[in-house]
């Protein structure tokens, strides 16, 4: 996707609204698709901005969710990890597989974390299958560091599906 400055996005968004209201088919469909794309690009821009200021260390929102200090509905839980729906979803299905062990990022993991890291991918596969993502596919993402777009320094795997994913991703 082309990364447009905010003013150009607003202009395009306004045109889509006008054409959606005053023009016959296919503008309403096209308008809905463009609105979805623009909305997800705003969400991604917010996460990129958060990643620029996020720092490793300290307690994270994921630690509080794992300890049940912050209420959250678990899609899956075992002795090594939990899975929750992402509250900032950018796909129809967007879940996070979070290890109970606090690991800042893949780049800071130890060799002793090998089994746990593999387990996270197996769980991602299981929950993707439960959400019927196997037929058309899904994307797994692990952000690492500022340039990788990591906004929370507690390792987690994004499981995203339910629509065609774009390439390159960022």
């Amino acid at each position: 996707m082309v990364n447009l400055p905010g003013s150009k996005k607003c202009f395009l968004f306004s045109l889509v609204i006008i054409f959606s209201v005053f023009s016959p088919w296919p503008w309403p469909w096209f308008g809905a698709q463009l609105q979805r794309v623009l909305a997800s690009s705003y969400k991604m821009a917010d996460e990129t901005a958060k990643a620029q200021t996020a720092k490793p260390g300290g307690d994270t929102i994921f630690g509080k969710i794992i300890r049940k200090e912050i209420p959250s509905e678990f899609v899956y839980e075992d002795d090594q990890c939990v899975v929750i729906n992402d509250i900032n979803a950018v796909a129809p299905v967007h879940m996070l597989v979070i290890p109970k062990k606090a690991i800042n990022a893949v780049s800071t993991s130890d060799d002793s974390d090998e089994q746990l890291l593999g387990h996270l991918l197996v769980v991602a596969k299981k929950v993707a299958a439960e959400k019927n993502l196997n037929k058309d596919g899904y994307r797994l993402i692990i952000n690492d560091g500022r340039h990788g777009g990591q906004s929370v320094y507690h390792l987690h795997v994004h499981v995203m599906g339910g629509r065609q994913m774009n390439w390159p991703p960022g």
Side-chain angles (χ1 to χ4, degrees):
M1 176 186 342
V2 176
N3 190 12
L4 300 173
S7 60
K8 288 185 181 178
K9 286 181 185 174
C10 290
F11 175 74
L12 282 174
F13 189 74
S14 299
L15 283 178
V16 167
I17 297 298
I18 290 167
F19 281 122
S20 295
V21 173
F22 297 110
S23 296
W25 184 93
W27 285 110
W29 174 86
F30 177 74
Q33 298 305 312
L34 190 54
Q35 288 171 14
R36 181 186 59 77
V37 167
L38 289 174
S40 74
S41 71
Y42 282 125
K43 285 182 184 178
M44 294 307 289
D46 288 347
E47 287 304 308
T48 301
K50 288 178 191 174
Q52 300 310 302
T53 59
K55 303 273 188 260
D59 202 7
T60 68
I61 190 168
F62 294 154
K64 293 175 183 176
I65 289 170
I66 290 165
R67 291 189 306 273
K68 300 181 178 158
E69 295 170 8
I70 295 176
S72 185
E73 183 179 332
F74 292 163
V75 174
Y76 174 93
E77 180 178 17
D78 64 23
D79 62 329
Q80 298 180 75
C81 67
V82 299
V83 179
I84 61 173
N85 289 309
D86 193 324
I87 61 170
N88 293 314
V90 295
V93 176
H94 189 166
M95 300 174 287
L96 303 174
V97 182
I98 309 165
K100 290 183 176 179
K101 178 181 178 183
I103 302 170
N104 285 340
V106 171
S107 61
T108 62
S109 64
D110 296 326
D111 289 346
S112 64
D113 296 320
E114 180 178 358
Q115 188 278 331
L116 175 59
L117 296 174
H119 180 73
L120 298 177
L121 296 181
V122 170
V123 169
K125 178 189 84 155
K126 286 179 185 177
V127 296
E130 288 175 8
K131 297 290 184 174
N132 299 315
L133 298 178
N134 285 347
K135 179 181 177 229
D136 293 323
Y138 52 92
R139 179 170 287 169
L140 301 178
I141 298 174
I142 300 174
N143 299 322
D144 193 295
R146 185 168 56 94
H147 284 181
Q150 187 173 7
S151 58
V152 178
Y153 278 85
H154 185 126
L155 175 73
H156 54 287
V157 180
H158 294 259
V159 181
M160 299 167 42
R163 70 168 170 84
Q164 178 62 55
M165 299 293 155
N166 297 320
W167 194 261

